[in-house]
């Protein structure tokens, strides 16, 4: 509701065969009038599903109620999110409630400016404002990657992600996500170590926890980046780059990360990893999820996913948090700057037969600054 006392709602639709969102207004919640101010269109799809429009605030992780337009001394932007082409895209901009004008920082029409909530299997998300803890919570639908007969045999299909807190980054140019703090109440057995050297083409097993249902936080430190692989300055699709340079393709700094839901002999495993590239006088960190060897089961869709992290590895450590829950792997790179969700169906790496490894398939050594991993209890749904 705006200061004018009118309710506002955004509807996903199609205009001239293009995906779009339309803003409607009402004073009584019964009679609705379409706003004359156009919202952005997208010619890369013919229809938008599950749109959202909500404010985010600068300087901190606090969320805002959807009706908040301004906060004294704070910069506010509005998120416009839409689901299409099997992904959840969003843009940031400034909203004027008097004119209903929305001036965007980027454009859905320009693919290089698309931002995503999650670069993996993640669709039709919705968020809400938690007024008690002053935060915005996001969750999403995650479909299956196996076959329809598999779903019939299981008796269910699809699930929700772990709820995530979502806020505006320090640079105010993207959103950041992190699992809600309540998840930590499910942590039980823990393993932890610091400052461990990880030589090139080596790995170490993280034992002492239940690897099939775990929460893992690991931070890497790299040095002597002048030896990093050179990446063309041209615009590169991170998913294509991750596919070309998968977890078994060695480089200099990378691939390094985690092998999750792995069988003892690595016949099955899902890799979540990083690579560091040099572009002119700067560096780029690539985050990938590679489930191509996740299962011996036939007819499984095993796409490799990728995203770039908005961090400079010369000054910032490269961190990864991965939540593992039998058939779903949710990963958060750079403290939530990029997220990738995968569905996997191991037949060997199941239950107590699942293993967890930190690995470095690059030729250059690096350091694990810190690693903490926990077994996770089952959630109590009340």
């Amino acid at each position: 509701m705006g200061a004018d006392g009118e309710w506002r709602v955004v509807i996903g639709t199609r205009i001239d065969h293009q995906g779009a969102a339309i803003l409607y207004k009402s004073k009584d919640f019964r009679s609705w009038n379409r706003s004359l101010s156009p919202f952005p269109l997208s010619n890369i799809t013919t229809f938008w599903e599950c749109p959202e429009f909500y404010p985010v605030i600068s300087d901190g992780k606090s969320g805002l109620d959807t009706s908040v337009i301004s906060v004294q001394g704070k910069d506010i932007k509005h998120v416009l999110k839409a689901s299409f082409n099997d992904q959840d895209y969003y843009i940031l901009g400034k909203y004027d409630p008097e004119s209903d004008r929305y001036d965007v920082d980027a454009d859905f029409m320009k693919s290089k400016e698309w931002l995503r909530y999650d670069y993996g299997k993640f669709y039709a998300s919705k968020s809400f404002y938690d007024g008690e803890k002053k935060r915005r919570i996001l969750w999403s639908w995650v479909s299956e990657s196996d076959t329809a007969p598999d779903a019939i045999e299981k008796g269910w299909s699809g699930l929700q992600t772990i709820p995530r807190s979502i806020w505006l980054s320090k640079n105010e140019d993207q959103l950041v996500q992190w699992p809600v703090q309540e998840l930590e109440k499910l942590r039980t057995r823990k393993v932890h170590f610091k400052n461990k050297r990880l030589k090139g083409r080596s790995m170490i097993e993280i034992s002492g926890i239940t690897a099939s249902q775990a929460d893992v936080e690991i931070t890497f430190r790299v040095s002597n980046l002048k030896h990093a692989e050179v990446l063309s300055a041209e615009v590169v699709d991170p998913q294509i780059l991750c596919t070309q340079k998968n977890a078994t393709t060695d480089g200099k700094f990378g691939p390094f990360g985690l092998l999750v839901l792995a069988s003892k002999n690595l016949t099955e495993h899902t890799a979540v990893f990083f690579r560091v590239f040099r572009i002119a006088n700067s560096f780029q960190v690539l985050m990938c999820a590679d489930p191509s060897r996740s299962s011996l089961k036939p007819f499984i869709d095993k796409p490799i996913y990728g995203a770039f992290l908005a961090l400079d590895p010369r000054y910032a450590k490269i961190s990864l948090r991965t939540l593992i829950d039998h058939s779903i792997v949710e990963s958060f790179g750079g403290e939530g700057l990029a997220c990738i969700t995968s569905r996997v169906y191991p037949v060997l790496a199941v239950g107590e037969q699942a293993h967890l490894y930190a690995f470095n398939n690059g030729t250059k050594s690096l350091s694990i600054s810190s690693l903490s991993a926990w077994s996770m209890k089952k959630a109590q749904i009340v």
Side-chain angles (χ1 to χ4, degrees):
M1 178 181 282
D4 55 8
E6 289 194 86
W7 295 97
R8 289 159 170 78
V9 64
V10 173
I11 303 296
T13 187
R14 146 171 58 199
I15 299 176
D16 297 328
H17 304 288
Q18 298 182 84
I22 299 177
L23 177 68
Y24 285 89
K25 300 166 70 174
S26 174
K27 291 184 177 180
D28 61 6
F29 224 74
R30 291 184 178 183
S31 300
W32 294 86
N33 297 306
R34 178 175 169 180
S35 172
L36 298 178
S37 297
F39 267 40
L41 302 175
S42 173
N43 63 0
I44 61 172
T45 183
T46 59
F47 193 85
W48 281 5
E49 290 189 297
C50 306
E52 277 209 284
F53 191 64
Y54 60 86
V56 287
I57 192 170
S58 64
D59 189 26
K61 300 179 181 180
S62 296
L64 292 175
D65 181 86
T66 311
S67 294
V68 171
I69 299 298
S70 64
V71 176
Q72 187 174 6
K74 298 284 188 178
D75 189 30
I76 285 184
K77 289 190 174 184
H78 270 73
V79 178
L80 176 61
K81 168 262 172 181
S83 301
F84 55 85
N85 293 356
D86 297 323
Q87 296 288 338
D88 277 11
Y89 300 92
Y90 72 90
I91 50 178
L92 296 165
K94 291 283 190 176
Y95 173 61
D96 178 6
E98 293 186 6
S99 64
D100 287 324
R101 182 180 176 88
Y102 183 53
D103 295 318
V104 299
D105 297 350
D107 192 339
F108 275 134
M109 300 282 278
K110 299 176 182 178
S111 60
K112 68 178 181 180
E113 295 177 342
W114 296 343
L115 294 167
R116 299 187 197 176
Y117 280 168
D118 190 295
Y119 290 81
K121 186 171 277 290
F122 185 101
Y123 193 70
S125 61
K126 293 297 291 183
S127 71
F128 68 91
Y129 175 65
D130 174 7
E132 182 177 343
K133 295 192 175 181
K134 305 275 190 297
R135 59 185 177 173
R136 180 160 289 273
I137 304 298
L138 173 75
W139 62 46
S140 177
W141 176 57
V142 181
S143 62
E144 302 296 325
S145 293
D146 55 0
T147 66
D150 289 326
I152 293 171
E153 182 179 350
K154 286 181 292 191
W156 57 275
S157 178
L159 45 74
Q160 295 291 113
T161 58
I162 291 294
R164 307 173 179 184
S165 295
I166 185 168
W167 64 88
L168 187 63
S169 68
K170 290 182 179 179
N171 294 333
E172 300 184 21
D173 57 357
Q174 70 164 98
L175 297 174
V176 179
Q177 299 168 59
W178 199 247
V180 293
Q181 189 175 8
E182 288 85 344
L183 186 71
E184 296 173 14
K185 296 179 180 179
L186 301 180
R187 291 172 170 174
T188 55
R189 286 178 295 164
K190 178 183 179 181
V191 295
H192 174 74
F193 58 78
K194 288 185 175 181
N195 300 322
K196 197 172 195 68
R197 185 174 178 82
L198 194 57
K199 294 181 179 180
R201 299 191 177 97
S202 70
M203 66 180 185
I204 56 173
E205 183 167 7
I206 303 165
S207 56
I209 64 167
T210 303
S212 58
Q213 193 166 313
D215 185 355
V216 187
E217 296 188 33
I218 186 169
T219 302
F220 298 96
R221 185 174 62 250
V222 294
S223 57
N224 297 321
L225 285 173
K226 63 182 179 180
H227 300 297
E229 295 173 77
V230 176
L231 185 65
S232 169
E234 299 176 0
V235 176
V236 176
D237 184 320
Q239 184 167 0
I240 294 175
L241 188 57
C242 286
T243 302
Q244 293 172 341
K245 295 180 177 292
N246 60 31
T248 60
T249 305
D250 63 359
K252 293 186 177 179
F253 290 100
F256 59 88
L258 296 174
L259 299 179
V260 307
L261 296 174
S263 59
K264 192 168 185 179
N265 59 2
L266 297 185
T267 300
E268 290 183 336
H269 64 270
T270 296
V272 185
F273 64 91
F274 302 103
R275 288 179 181 268
V276 180
F277 295 95
R278 181 161 55 88
I279 305 176
N281 295 321
S282 63
F283 296 89
Q284 186 78 65
V285 177
L286 177 70
M287 176 181 173
C288 306
D290 179 1
S292 59
R293 293 168 176 79
S294 61
S295 178
L296 295 178
K297 194 174 183 178
F299 310 116
I300 303 295
D301 186 26
K302 304 173 185 177
I304 296 175
Y305 300 113
F308 288 115
L309 288 182
L311 62 81
D312 190 330
R314 291 173 294 183
Y315 312 111
K317 294 176 182 178
I318 302 171
S319 68
L320 175 66
R321 183 177 181 184
T322 296
L323 304 176
I324 307 157
D325 191 13
H326 301 285
S327 71
I328 185 168
V329 180
E330 296 184 56
S331 296
F332 303 79
E335 298 184 339
L337 289 173
C339 310
I340 302 178
T341 299
S342 297
R343 295 303 308 276
V344 295
Y345 307 90
V347 295
L348 301 176
V350 176
E352 296 297 327
Q353 301 306 310
H355 297 261
L356 173 66
Y357 300 89
F359 80 100
N360 176 17
N361 280 347
T363 59
K364 299 294 182 180
S365 297
L366 50 86
S367 296
I368 299 175
S369 301
S370 176
L371 180 142
S372 296
W374 297 263
S375 297
M376 299 293 283
K377 296 183 295 185
K378 292 182 179 180
Q380 299 298 311
I381 308 300
V382 296

